[in-house]
C-alpha cells in the first residue's frame, strides 16, 4: 500500500431482487425454445423482473437500505454516492441522486452514476477506493441496480433468455483499524470490440441541421458467440493476474464470486483456478444475468445460504459491455452481510 493511502473497509453489503419470476417454461410463450436448450447453454432456469410500478430505483433503494443497516453507519454519514447502472429507468436524475433523495440526505454530497455495464460494481469499488484512499471522502455508498427487463429485446431468443433485474449495494468507508479490505483491484476495457454488446438509444434529429439518423430502439443487441469467446479467453487468466497482484496464491483465497453471465463462463474461471465447487458461488440458475448487481447478490445470498463463511477472502470478477472487465481480491469481514 502506498504511504499515506487510507485503507478501505467494506462495511456492509445488501441486495434486492423483484418478486416476479419468469421461468424458461414461461419464455416458450414468446418464442420457440426449451428449458433444456437454455439450461444446458447458460445454467439459467429462471430470472426475476420488476412488475407494476416497481423500478431499478426501488430495487436499488432496498439493496442500499440493507447494506446501510448491516454497516451500522447511518445514511447521514455517507459523503458520496456512486451509482453503477447500465439500465436505469432514467438517464437523469441518476440512480445515485435518487438514492440521496430516498434516504433524505440533506448534506450536499456528490452523487453520480457511472456505466461499466456488468463490470460496474468493480469499477465503482475502484473509484471509491481512490476517493477514500486519497482522503477525499470517508464513507461511500455504491449502488448497482439494473432494469435489464426494460432494455431486453423480448423477441430475441438469443438475449432475452439471459438477463434479469436486480440490485446490490455496498457501503465502504475509511478503515478504522488500519486493515485494508481491498487486497488487490484492477479494471480494464477494450473499446475496439465494443460492438459485441450494444444498446443504441432512440432519439430524434434537430430539425435545423442534417444529422445521421441512427435508429436505436434502446434494446440490447449482442453477438453471443463472440461475447462468449471473449469471456472465456480473457477473464480466467485476468483473474489469475489480479490474484497475483494481491501477493496471495489462488489456493489461499477462500471463494470465487464471479459475475453471473453464463454457468459455462463461470466454470472456465473455476477450472483455471482449479477450485472445487464449494469455493465457487453461482446463483445464475435463479436470477440470470443481473449485470452490475450480480456479484453483491451472489455474495449476500451465499452468506445467507451458508455457502460463504465470513472472516475470509474472495476474488470478485466482472466483465461485460464496453467491453470492460475487472477483478478484486477482498477481505470479507464478519457482519458485512
Ligand atoms: N432456444 C432455442 N434455440 C435457440 C435459442 C433459444 N433461446 N437461441 C438461439 N437459438 C438457436 C439459434 O437460432 C441457432 O440456430 P441455427 O443454428 O439454426 O441458426 C442455434 O440455436 C445456435 O445459436 P447460437 O447463438 O450460435 O447459440 P450459442 O451456442 O452461441 O448460445 C448464448 C447462445 C447466448 C447462450 C451464448 O452465445 C452465450 O451465452 N454467450 C455469452 C453471452 C453473455 O454472457 N453476455 C453477457 C456478458 S456480460
Amino acid at each position: 500500500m502506498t504511504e499515506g493511502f487510507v485503507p478501505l473497509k467494506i462495511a456492509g453489503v445488501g441486495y434486492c431482487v423483484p418478486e416476479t419470476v419468469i421461468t424458461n417454461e414461461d419464455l416458450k410463450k414468446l418464442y420457440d425454445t426449451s428449458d433444456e436448450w437454455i439450461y444446458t447453454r447458460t445454467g439459467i432456469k429462471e430470472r426475476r423482473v420488476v412488475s407494476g410500478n416497481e423500478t431499478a430505483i426501488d430495487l436499488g433503494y432496498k439493496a442500499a437500505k440493507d447494506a446501510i443497516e448491516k454497516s451500522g453507519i447511518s445514511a447521514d454519514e455517507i459523503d458520496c454516492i456512486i451509482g453503477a447502472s447500465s439500465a436505469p429507468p432514467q438517464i437523469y436524475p441518476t440512480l445515485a441522486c435518487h438514492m440521496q433523495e430516498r434516504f433524505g440526505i440533506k448534506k450536499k454530497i456528490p452523487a453520480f452514476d457511472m456505466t461499466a455495464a456488468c463490470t460496474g460494481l468493480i469499477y465503482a469499488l475502484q473509484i471509491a477506493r481512490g476517493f477514500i484512499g486519497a482522503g477525499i471522502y470517508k464513507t461511500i455508498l455504491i449502488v448497482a441496480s439494473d432494469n435489464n427487463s426494460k432494455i431486453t429485446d423480448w423477441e430475441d431468443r438469443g438475449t432475452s433468455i439471459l438477463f434479469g433485474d436486480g440490485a446490490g449495494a455496498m457501503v465502504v468507508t475509511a478503515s478504522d483499524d488500519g486493515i485494508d479490505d481491498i487486497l488487490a483491484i484492477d479494471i480494464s476495457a477494450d473499446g475496439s470490440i465494443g460492438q459485441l454488446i450494444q444498446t443504441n438509444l432512440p432519439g430524434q434529429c434537430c430539425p435545423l441541421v442534417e444529422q445521421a439518423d441512427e435508429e436505436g430502439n434502446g434494446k440490447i443487441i449482442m453477438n453471443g458467440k463472440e461475447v462468449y469467446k471473449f469471456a472465456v479467453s480473457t477473464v480466467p487468466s485476468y483473474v489469475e493476474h489480479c490474484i497475483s497482484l494481491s501477493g496471495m496464491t489462488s489456493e489461499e483465497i477462500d471463494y470465487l464470486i464471479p459475475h453471473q453471465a453464463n454457468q459455462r463462463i463461470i466454470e472456465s474461471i473455476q477450472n483455471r483456478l482449479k477450485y472445487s465447487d464449494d469455493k465457487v458461488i453461482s446463483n445464475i440458475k435463479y436470477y440470470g444475468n443481473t449485470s452490475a448487481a450480480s456479484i453483491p447478490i451472489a455474495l449476500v445470498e451465499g452468506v445467507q445460504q451458508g455457502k460463504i463463511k465470513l472472516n475470509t477472502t474472495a476474488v470478485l470478477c466482472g466483465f461485460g459491455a464496453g467491453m470492460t472487465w475487472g477483478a478484486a481480491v477482498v477481505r470479507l469481514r464478519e457482519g458485512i452481510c
Side-chain angles (χ1 to χ4, degrees), residues 254-255 308-314 330-334:
D254 297 300
Y255 304 104
I308 299 177
K309 303 266 174 290
L310 294 174
N311 208 4
T312 52
T313 52
V330 299
R331 211 182 295 277
L332 304 175
R333 294 187 191 226
E334 213 59 67

Side-chain angles (χ1 to χ4, degrees), residues 74-278:
S74 98
D76 288 332
E77 291 174 73
I78 292 166
D79 48 19
C80 176
I81 305 174
I82 305 174
S85 182
S86 45
Q90 287 178 299
I91 293 178
Y92 43 79
T94 58
L95 173 66
C97 287
H98 276 289
M99 293 304 114
Q100 185 185 18
E101 189 268 331
R102 290 273 178 113
F103 284 105
I105 299 172
K106 297 279 177 255
K107 251 188 328 181
K108 302 293 180 276
I109 58 170
F112 63 94
D113 285 6
M114 56 104 230
T115 303
C118 301
T119 323
L121 194 275
I122 310 285
Y123 266 64
L125 196 54
Q126 175 71 305
I127 294 167
R129 181 169 184 260
F131 280 147
I132 290 173
I136 297 170
Y137 303 116
K138 185 165 179 243
T139 301
I140 299 179
L141 170 65
I142 297 171
V143 186
S145 186
D146 279 301
N147 239 164
N148 285 325
S149 62
K150 299 273 179 173
I151 61 164
T152 293
D153 181 350
W154 290 100
E155 289 176 5
D156 178 1
R157 60 184 187 160
T159 54
S160 56
I161 55 171
L162 298 175
F163 296 97
D165 297 336
M170 261 188 190
V171 175
V172 292
T173 188
S175 178
D176 42 16
D177 57 10
I179 295 171
D180 200 341
D181 290 347
I182 308 286
L183 298 159
I185 185 163
D186 192 54
I187 51 177
S188 196
D190 182 356
S192 73
I193 48 169
Q195 77 287 353
L196 295 183
I197 314 179
Q198 300 178 50
T199 300
N200 303 315
L201 297 179
Q204 57 190 19
C205 292
C206 167
L208 301 174
V209 286
E210 234 177 73
Q211 290 180 330
D213 190 4
E214 287 179 13
E215 284 179 23
N217 65 4
K219 293 177 182 169
I220 302 168
I221 305 167
M222 185 183 71
N223 183 334
K225 255 199 181 2
E226 290 305 315
V227 171
Y228 184 87
K229 280 191 215 159
F230 154 80
V232 296
S233 63
T234 305
V235 182
S237 56
Y238 178 75
V239 172
E240 257 186 349
H241 156 73
C242 193
I243 290 174
S244 73
L245 296 178
S246 74
M248 296 174 81
T249 63
S250 52
E251 298 85 63
E252 287 170 321
I253 293 171
D254 297 300
Y255 304 104
L256 164 67
I257 310 176
H259 168 48
Q260 311 282 309
N262 180 311
Q263 183 59 28
R264 290 186 297 152
I265 297 174
I266 294 174
E267 283 163 13
S268 74
I269 309 167
Q270 172 175 4
N271 293 341
R272 181 76 176 219
L273 299 180
K274 300 190 177 64
Y275 277 8
S276 52
D277 289 348
D278 57 328

Side-chain angles (χ1 to χ4, degrees), residues 25-39:
E25 287 301 319
D26 292 329
L27 292 178
K28 284 162 68 176
K29 294 175 203 152
L30 299 178
Y31 39 69
D32 181 21
T33 189
S34 68
D35 174 57
E36 200 261 335
W37 195 97
I38 300 170
Y39 186 61

